[in-house]
């Protein structure tokens, strides 16, 4: 259902673009992007990427074999990253609540919300089945972590603003895509790599949807959209930040090369910002211009932080290699 065409209206002040008006104005874009998504998205079956023949009973009610780390070929880095990725996906009920409350359940917006939720649900199912069938993780620790994480729920940093929410997911979906893809590369199991490539492809399509929606928002409400982009980029954190032990796991993931500052700057922020031509947007008001300037300064500082991280990472990995060689 098309409610209103997207148009840039110079006579409207930024205060006129409330969340409700923006949602109505962007309905046509959502409909277009939803139709595009449905044409290019390819269904895949999670069970086809789970080696069920490797599965066997665990200890407990069925009296099977207790878990031990040597039962799986998954690398230590792959194990840590897979658990973080899965626990992040597990909070889907909270994510659905957030976007359904923000975007609504009617029209093209509602159709997208439910389609997105269905596709994201497939990711958690597939990863958990793979981990348990291959005995890649301690099932008791995994369940305790899931209960702890989901019991805390999830509240977005951007729930106060529709534009902030759209800006956030445009970057976050790409970050998730890269995290899954790199986890597959480092997991040590070709089947796991194939599974996570499928998941990463879904996440990339989600990113394209939100990125294109954000582009339309920049056209109709440039000052507000620029402010939202600057706020999200400068305060960005992944949705799994509430996972028990997240900081330690994130450090391992960063040092191992799955996801770190350099990747975040080069492969997440810059591609989206370049596509949107954010630094080239002209005719901004004072609010938008200030946000654009803040963004430029921040990106320069982040690039320097990433360079320093790379130096520390290289030194740490060299020390580890030296210790391993001395054994």
């Amino acid at each position: 259902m098309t409610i209103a065409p997207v148009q840039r209206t110079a006579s409207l002040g930024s205060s006129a673009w409330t969340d409700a008006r923006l949602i109505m104005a962007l309905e046509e874009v959502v409909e277009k992007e939803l139709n595009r998504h449905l044409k290019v998205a390819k269904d895949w079956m999670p069970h086809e990427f789970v080696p069920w023949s490797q599965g066997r009973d665990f200890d407990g009610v069925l009296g099977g074999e207790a878990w031990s780390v040597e039962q799986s070929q998954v690398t230590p880095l792959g194990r840590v990253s897979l658990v973080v990725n899965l626990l992040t996906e597990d909070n889907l009920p909270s994510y659905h609540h957030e976007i359904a409350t923000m975007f609504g359940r009617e029209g093209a917006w509602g159709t997208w919300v439910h389609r997105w939720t269905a596709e994201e649900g497939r990711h958690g199912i597939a990863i958990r089945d793979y981990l348990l069938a291959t005995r890649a993780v301690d099932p008791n620790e995994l369940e305790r972590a899931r209960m702890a994480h989901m019991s805390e729920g999830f509240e977005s940093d951007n729930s106060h603003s529709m534009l902030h929410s759209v800006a956030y997911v445009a970057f976050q979906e790409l970050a998730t895509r890269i995290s899954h893809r790199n986890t597959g590369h480092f997991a040590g199991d070709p089947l796991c790599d194939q599974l996570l490539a499928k998941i990463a492809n879904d996440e990339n399509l989600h990113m394209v949807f939100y990125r294109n929606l954000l582009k339309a928002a920049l056209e109709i409400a440039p000052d507000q959209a620029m402010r939202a982009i600057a706020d999200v980029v400068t305060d960005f954190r992944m949705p799994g930040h509430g996972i028990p032990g997240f900081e330690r796991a994130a450090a391992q993931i960063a040092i191992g090369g799955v996801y770190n500052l350099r990747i975040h700057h080069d492969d997440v922020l810059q591609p989206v910002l370049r596509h949107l031509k954010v630094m080239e947007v002209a005719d901004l008001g004072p609010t938008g211009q200030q946000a654009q300037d803040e963004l430029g300064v921040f990106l320069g500082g982040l690039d320097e932080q990433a360079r320093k991280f790379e130096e520390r990472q290289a030194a740490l990995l060299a020390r580890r290699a030296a210790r391993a060689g001395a054994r």
Side-chain angles (χ1 to χ4, degrees), residues 7-300:
Q7 55 184 356
R8 184 165 179 164
T9 309
S11 61
L12 287 173
S14 61
S15 61
W17 287 112
T18 62
D19 282 356
R21 289 199 68 247
L22 281 165
I23 287 171
M24 291 179 65
L26 290 168
E27 176 92 12
E28 188 174 78
V29 180
V30 173
E31 183 179 43
K32 174 186 174 183
E33 291 304 315
L34 172 63
N35 291 334
R36 180 200 54 76
H37 178 85
L38 294 176
K39 286 180 181 178
V40 299
K42 292 181 172 60
D43 281 338
W44 56 278
M45 301 298 130
H47 65 271
E48 294 181 359
F49 295 87
V50 179
W52 300 103
S53 60
Q54 294 182 25
R56 56 192 186 277
D57 295 342
F58 288 99
D59 57 333
V61 176
L62 297 178
E65 183 181 0
W67 180 84
S68 60
V69 68
E70 67 274 3
Q71 293 168 350
S72 170
Q73 64 178 318
V74 170
T75 64
L77 175 60
R79 182 175 299 108
V80 169
S81 191
L82 279 162
V83 169
V84 168
N85 289 357
L86 174 57
L87 293 177
T88 300
E89 299 284 358
D90 276 336
N91 247 346
L92 182 60
S94 288
Y95 307 149
H96 175 84
H97 174 76
E98 289 272 344
I99 65 171
T101 300
M102 175 65 69
F103 301 144
R105 295 175 173 82
E106 304 299 328
W109 282 101
T111 302
W112 167 254
V113 166
H114 295 306
R115 172 72 188 201
W116 175 88
T117 301
E119 292 183 3
E120 289 289 347
R122 179 165 57 193
H123 303 165
I125 291 169
I127 296 174
R128 174 168 280 99
D129 285 348
Y130 169 83
L131 292 178
L132 295 180
T134 62
R135 291 180 166 247
V137 299
D138 184 332
N140 294 327
E141 289 189 8
L142 181 64
E143 177 60 10
R144 292 189 188 103
R146 186 192 70 84
M147 286 294 295
H149 185 43
M150 292 192 69
S151 294
E152 290 296 319
F154 173 81
E155 183 176 356
S156 172
D157 296 330
N158 305 288
S159 58
H160 63 286
S161 160
M162 176 266 188
L163 279 179
H164 282 73
S165 295
V166 171
Y168 176 74
V169 289
F171 294 103
Q172 179 265 320
E173 293 284 5
L174 181 53
T176 303
R177 177 240 176 206
I178 290 173
S179 178
H180 282 305
R181 197 70 193 94
N182 287 346
T183 298
H185 292 330
F186 287 105
D189 179 4
L191 181 60
C192 182
D193 194 21
Q194 292 178 47
L195 168 61
L196 293 183
K198 286 290 185 182
I199 293 174
N201 187 62
D202 283 354
E203 302 288 8
N204 196 64
L205 292 178
H206 298 165
M207 178 275 294
V208 171
F209 177 95
Y210 288 118
R211 184 195 65 191
N212 292 351
L213 188 58
L214 183 57
K215 182 177 182 180
L218 265 172
E219 294 173 357
I220 66 171
D223 285 347
Q224 285 174 267
M226 188 66 71
R227 181 71 268 167
I229 291 170
D231 289 345
V232 165
V233 169
T234 55
D235 292 324
F236 184 89
R237 56 179 181 170
M238 292 293 275
H241 60 81
I243 292 171
F246 178 78
E247 290 185 1
R248 183 172 186 274
Q252 293 175 272
I253 288 168
I255 293 168
V258 173
Y259 197 93
N260 53 43
L261 277 179
R262 175 52 65 198
I263 293 170
H264 183 64
H265 177 275
D266 290 1
D267 301 334
V268 176
L269 298 183
Q270 290 292 356
V272 174
L273 294 172
R274 281 196 301 267
H275 181 86
L276 298 176
K277 298 181 179 180
V278 167
M279 303 309 295
E280 301 172 29
V281 176
D283 300 325
L284 292 168
T287 299
Q289 186 62 61
Q290 181 179 354
Q292 190 180 54
D293 292 343
E294 289 175 9
L295 186 60
V297 172
F298 174 81
L299 290 171

